[in-house]
Amino acid sequence: MSEDHTHVQEFFGARAADWDRKFPGDGPAFTTAVTEFGLRPGDRVLDAGCGTGRAMTALRSAVGPSGTVLGVDLTPQMLAAARRAGRDAEGALLLADVARLPLRDEALDAVFAAGLIAHLPDPGANLRELARVVRPGGGLALFHPIGRAALAARHGRELTPEDMRAEHNLGPLLTGSGWNMVSYADDDDRFLVLAVRHP
């Protein structure tokens, strides 16, 4: 599932301009996931692998005007599309690699990551980097607007027991990376895993 940075940038860069038009109905799923994440006013949240920033409006609504929303993505074209959509009004957009975030330790209260985990070159190390920038007790949401089976069907493949996002694989991966899984949902219309950073 993992891909090198060049491939990720080429893949998403070529699709950035039409990304939102390709998935026009995803907005409510993002809003519901952010609501279930349980952010509070004043929280500092990172949208990791933010793409065109589809979560940023919901994240801003959750943390309010006193909170901080930061969107980070590896692909310049995705960030440009986010700016064209006006989502930079909801928070700062930064070109950066989630594997080496330019943030101090424990700078954040939470990380929201939509569609990110399948594209991490070293999931264990990369999840540890996300844990580094979140305070103890802070949250992580791993989200996709459709479930694993629907996503596999969309890409013409079958689910296997080795799928990293399967609960029996993802739980230990998170535990070994500084997180405790607190809920796991894999339905046709969404995938949402919530975790809390180890004390």
Side-chain angles (χ1 to χ4, degrees):
M1 296 292 292
S2 64
E3 304 166 33
D4 66 55
H5 289 168
T6 301
H7 180 72
V8 168
Q9 287 177 315
E10 289 174 353
F11 179 89
F12 287 105
R15 291 161 175 80
D18 294 320
W19 193 258
D20 287 358
R21 284 192 294 274
K22 188 174 179 183
F23 305 107
D26 285 352
F30 275 84
T31 300
T32 299
V34 170
T35 299
E36 290 186 34
F37 193 17
L39 296 167
R40 295 169 299 187
D43 275 352
R44 302 155 299 170
V45 61
L46 171 67
D47 186 356
C50 67
T52 61
R54 293 185 294 167
M56 291 189 69
T57 299
L59 292 171
R60 171 54 66 197
S61 179
V63 304
S66 64
T68 299
V69 178
L70 175 62
V72 169
D73 202 272
L74 188 64
T75 306
Q77 296 94 324
M78 281 289 191
L79 294 175
R83 290 186 184 97
R84 284 194 302 274
R87 293 176 181 138
D88 53 339
E90 309 295 352
L93 294 170
L94 180 65
L95 181 66
D97 183 355
V98 298
R100 292 183 302 276
L101 290 165
L103 299 170
R104 61 179 169 78
D105 293 358
E106 302 180 13
L108 304 171
D109 297 296
V111 173
F112 185 87
L116 176 71
I117 193 166
H119 301 288
L120 295 176
D122 186 345
N126 302 151
L127 288 167
R128 279 192 294 278
E129 172 66 357
L130 295 180
R132 179 188 68 79
V133 300
V134 173
R135 63 169 175 78
L140 170 68
L142 300 176
F143 169 71
H144 200 283
I146 60 175
R148 292 186 310 124
L151 186 62
R154 178 185 286 175
H155 294 292
R157 55 180 173 76
E158 295 183 5
L159 287 179
T160 68
E162 292 75 36
D163 181 2
M164 177 176 49
R165 289 166 292 188
E167 187 171 7
H168 64 268
N169 295 326
L170 187 55
L173 176 63
L174 286 166
T175 300
S177 305
W179 302 96
N180 290 322
M181 183 190 295
V182 295
S183 67
Y184 182 94
D186 181 20
D187 307 313
D188 287 344
D189 58 351
R190 62 94 179 256
F191 175 86
L192 180 63
V193 174
L194 302 181
V196 173
R197 187 185 180 281
H198 295 280

